[in-house]
Amino acid sequence: MDEAQIDFSGFPAGGVAVVIGASGGVGGALVTALQRVPEFSEVVGFSRSGALPVDITSEASIATAVQSLSGREIRLVIDATGFLHGDGFMPEKSFKELNAAHLAASFAANALGPALLMKHFLPLFPRQGRAVFASLSAKVGSIGDNQIGGWYSYRAAKAALNQLVHTAAIELKRNRPEAVCVVLHPGTVTSRLSAPFAKSGLHVRPPAEAAADLLGVINRLAPTASGGFFDYKGASLPW
Ligand SMILES: NC(=O)c1ccc[n+]([C@@H]2O[C@H](COP(=O)([O-])OP(=O)(O)OC[C@H]3O[C@@H](n4cnc5c(N)ncnc54)[C@H](OP(=O)(O)O)[C@@H]3O)[C@@H](O)[C@H]2O)c1
């Protein structure tokens, strides 16, 4: 990991950064990297296994997490949660494998949960000054970029996430013109999520590198970029 400090000088000093999904590969690396940013007075990481457990499929647990931040100046919220496989489900290779329970689980974790995070976290943003909400999506959620098919549940749920974030960004702009709300693709990163699909020849990056890149992009995003879908280099991705 590049130990160089990431420039967050565009953020007002003294704010709080929040990472949901702090137990994940990318989420954990984001917490570690953010702890070195002097502009943030505190970095709060939430996860299902944390002291205050947050399961994004439970709105009550999100509301409890938000209550625990009462009175704090929230300037950055990163949703690093995501679900690709587990609970007996693996990404579909064919429409013959489509399963309602798998689709529902993917939408619950990848789209509905992040939507509820926006419902509860976006109102915490100060009306003045820079604030960013970034949800980790995936390039495979791009409909325009889909050349090879497969992975129905994950692709569709991430596409839904992209639409939800884009829609919230339009509303957020009305009373928080300096705020930014985006979806970001972290690249292919070593983690539990990607482990079954790691194959030779695929460029898989360590989480610390992905975290540094993502924070660099977040720092550079202008308010005019709000509502967008960007990769870890800051390039705009097709919907
Ligand atoms: N890794 C890649 O190559 C890659 C590529 C493209 C996009 N992404 C996206 O990047 C993000 C981070 O992925 P990652 O690679 O860091 O995967 P990861 O290591 O598997 O982390 C996923 C995180 O999501 C959390 N999570 C899942 N369901 C949750 C729920 N219902 N409530 C709360 N937390 C929940 C997990 O919590 P637990 O620890 O409790 O399970 C974990 O903290 C995801 O959105 C993923 O889709 C990753």
Side-chain angles (χ1 to χ4, degrees):
M1 165 88 180
D2 178 7
E3 293 292 326
Q5 228 164 52
I6 296 149
D7 175 21
F8 266 85
S9 52
F11 281 78
V16 173
V18 179
V19 177
I20 303 107
S23 56
V26 180
L30 284 166
V31 170
T32 303
L34 283 166
Q35 281 164 344
R36 293 200 304 270
V37 177
E39 279 76 13
F40 297 117
S41 60
E42 194 183 352
V43 181
V44 181
F46 289 115
S47 71
R48 289 189 285 198
S49 48
L52 183 59
V54 176
D55 184 328
I56 61 165
T57 63
S58 155
E59 185 168 2
S61 83
I62 296 172
T64 304
V66 164
Q67 271 164 22
S68 77
L69 299 170
S70 166
R72 320 269 244 291
E73 188 179 295
I74 310 297
R75 289 285 173 188
L76 175 64
V77 177
I78 306 180
D79 162 31
T81 64
F83 169 76
L84 174 60
H85 57 86
D87 300 329
F89 301 124
M90 286 301 281
E92 310 90 341
K93 291 188 175 140
S94 161
F95 45 69
K96 292 177 196 146
E97 295 168 23
L98 281 169
N99 171 298
H102 185 184
L103 281 157
S106 185
F107 272 78
N110 292 312
L112 279 56
L116 294 174
L117 289 176
M118 291 193 294
K119 172 181 171 180
H120 288 272
F121 278 97
L122 293 182
L124 302 185
F125 282 168
R127 290 194 177 238
Q128 262 92 45
R130 187 163 173 72
V132 176
F133 179 94
S135 186
L136 297 190
S137 185
K139 197 173 167 186
V140 299
S142 165
I143 295 171
D145 187 63
N146 186 354
Q147 307 292 329
I148 58 170
W151 292 26
Y152 288 79
S153 301
Y154 186 69
R155 283 185 189 277
K158 289 294 194 184
L161 166 68
N162 293 354
Q163 176 70 286
L164 287 159
V165 169
H166 182 78
T167 303
I170 292 168
E171 184 182 342
L172 187 69
K173 199 181 296 224
R174 293 187 191 131
N175 50 24
R176 289 170 177 80
E178 293 169 78
V180 172
C181 183
V182 287
V183 265
L184 300 178
H185 167 62
T188 306
V189 184
T190 310
S191 72
R192 274 177 289 147
L193 182 138
S194 66
F197 314 100
K199 53 183 179 195
S200 56
L202 194 69
H203 181 50
V204 187
R205 297 179 315 134
E209 190 179 315
D213 287 343
L214 291 167
L215 293 179
V217 172
I218 286 171
N219 183 52
R220 292 193 300 274
L221 288 170
T224 49
S226 193
F229 180 22
F230 302 97
D231 72 8
Y232 61 94
K233 292 179 179 161
S236 194
L237 292 170
W239 297 112

